């Protein structure tokens, strides 16, 4: 008499087509539409394991236990991949939100890039490049100290303390930068003119303490 292993009985009961159909039906349920993909995969694996336990006769056979361990490893890998992806996304957002992004350029290079972008009517990108030119120029002239990861608001505050006459214009420039960076605003030609005018004015300006000497 041929004895059918418990593992084969369990897998046969479920069936590949039935398992595929159940998984597809789960994905279509309205309650899970807002669920993230990693969480959804983990939940499906957990439900599959529970179903195996329920169907296995006389406890947990060795074959089923091995299968469960494999599925648990897969679930752990999915979780790790999802965590790494979220971490990379946060890093990219932090880099995009910082004043200089990920590429180091001189003030002249930022100005040239800003003018190129403005010529193509890419006002949001042009505004960001022009404020970066302002920041690099202020750092080069030692009006503000270099600070990795500095935001536009931090630049405006630091420069405003050294150049109080430009305090409001610097704050406005930081606001325009934040709008096109965080608010996803497209930017405007007027906004770019505000930045380029500020840049040109600052290039011939010295701190009040230095000007008094």
């Amino acid at each position: 008499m041929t004895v059918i292993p418990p593992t084969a009985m369990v897998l046969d009961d479920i069936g590949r087509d039935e398992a595929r159909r159940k998984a597809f039906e789960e994905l279509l349920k309205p309650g899970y539409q807002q669920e993230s993909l990693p969480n959804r995969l983990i939940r499906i694996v957990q439900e599959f394991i529970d179903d195996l336990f329920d169907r296995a006769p006389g406890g947990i056979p060795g074959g089923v236990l091995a299968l469960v361990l494999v599925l648990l490893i897969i679930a752990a890998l999915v979780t790790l991949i999802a965590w790494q992806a979220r971490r990379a996304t946060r890093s990219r957002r932090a880099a995009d939100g910082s004043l200089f992004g990920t590429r180091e350029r001189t003030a002249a290079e930022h100005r040239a890039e800003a003018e190129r972008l403005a010529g193509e009517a890419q006002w949001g990108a042009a505004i960001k490049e022009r404020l970066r030119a302002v920041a690099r120029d202020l750092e080069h002239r030692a009006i503000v100290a270099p600070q990795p990861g500095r935001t536009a608001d931090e630049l405006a505050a630091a420069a405003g303390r050294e150049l109080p006459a430009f305090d409001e214009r610097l704050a406005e420039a930081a606001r325009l930068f934040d709008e096109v960076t965080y608010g996803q605003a497209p930017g405007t030609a007027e906004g770019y003119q505000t930045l380029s005018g500020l840049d040109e004015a600052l290039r011939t300006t010295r701190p009040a303490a230095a000007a008094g000497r």
Side-chain angles (χ1 to χ4, degrees):
M1 180 179 66
T2 302
V3 178
I4 300 176
T7 302
M9 294 175 57
V10 173
L11 295 178
D12 185 62
D13 287 342
I14 296 176
R16 294 182 180 178
D17 292 338
E18 183 182 354
R20 188 182 302 110
R21 178 182 60 80
K22 287 184 177 181
F24 182 74
E25 290 175 352
E26 280 294 321
L27 295 177
L28 294 179
K29 287 184 179 180
Y32 300 120
Q33 294 302 309
Q34 302 301 320
E35 189 176 16
S36 67
L37 179 58
N39 289 339
R40 187 179 305 175
L41 291 174
I42 293 172
R43 178 180 51 76
I44 291 174
V45 170
Q46 290 174 337
E47 291 176 356
F48 179 69
I49 293 172
D50 292 340
D51 191 49
L52 285 178
F53 285 169
D54 292 340
R55 291 172 180 266
I60 305 175
V64 174
L65 181 59
L67 178 60
V68 168
L69 291 176
V70 170
L71 291 175
L72 288 175
I73 292 173
I74 293 174
L77 288 175
V78 169
T79 302
L80 179 61
I81 292 171
W83 177 77
Q84 290 285 4
R86 286 195 296 268
R87 184 178 180 183
T89 300
R90 286 195 297 268
S91 297
R92 286 194 297 270
R93 289 176 178 174
D96 292 340
S98 65
L99 184 55
F100 292 114
T102 58
R103 181 176 177 181
E104 185 171 345
R105 289 172 168 167
T106 65
E109 289 173 334
H110 282 300
R111 289 190 189 99
E113 180 65 7
E115 288 295 298
R116 184 188 70 79
L117 293 167
E120 298 175 357
Q122 298 185 45
W123 302 117
I127 285 171
K128 290 195 283 189
E129 286 299 315
R130 198 70 188 215
L131 187 60
R132 287 164 180 162
V134 169
R136 284 298 186 207
D137 186 71
L138 293 175
E139 289 179 355
H140 178 72
R141 293 191 288 142
I143 294 176
V144 298
Q147 179 183 321
R150 169 182 276 142
T151 65
D153 292 331
E154 290 170 343
L155 170 72
R161 287 191 294 269
E162 300 297 327
L163 303 169
F166 288 89
D167 183 62
E168 292 184 3
R169 295 178 66 179
L170 286 162
E172 173 67 7
R175 184 187 65 79
L176 290 170
F177 182 93
D178 288 344
E179 284 181 354
V180 300
T181 302
Y182 299 106
Q184 303 300 315
T188 63
E190 293 77 10
Y192 179 71
Q193 289 302 320
T194 297
L195 265 295
S196 60
L198 174 64
D199 185 22
E200 293 301 322
L202 287 173
R203 293 176 71 179
T204 58
T205 299
R206 293 188 298 165
R213 292 198 293 268

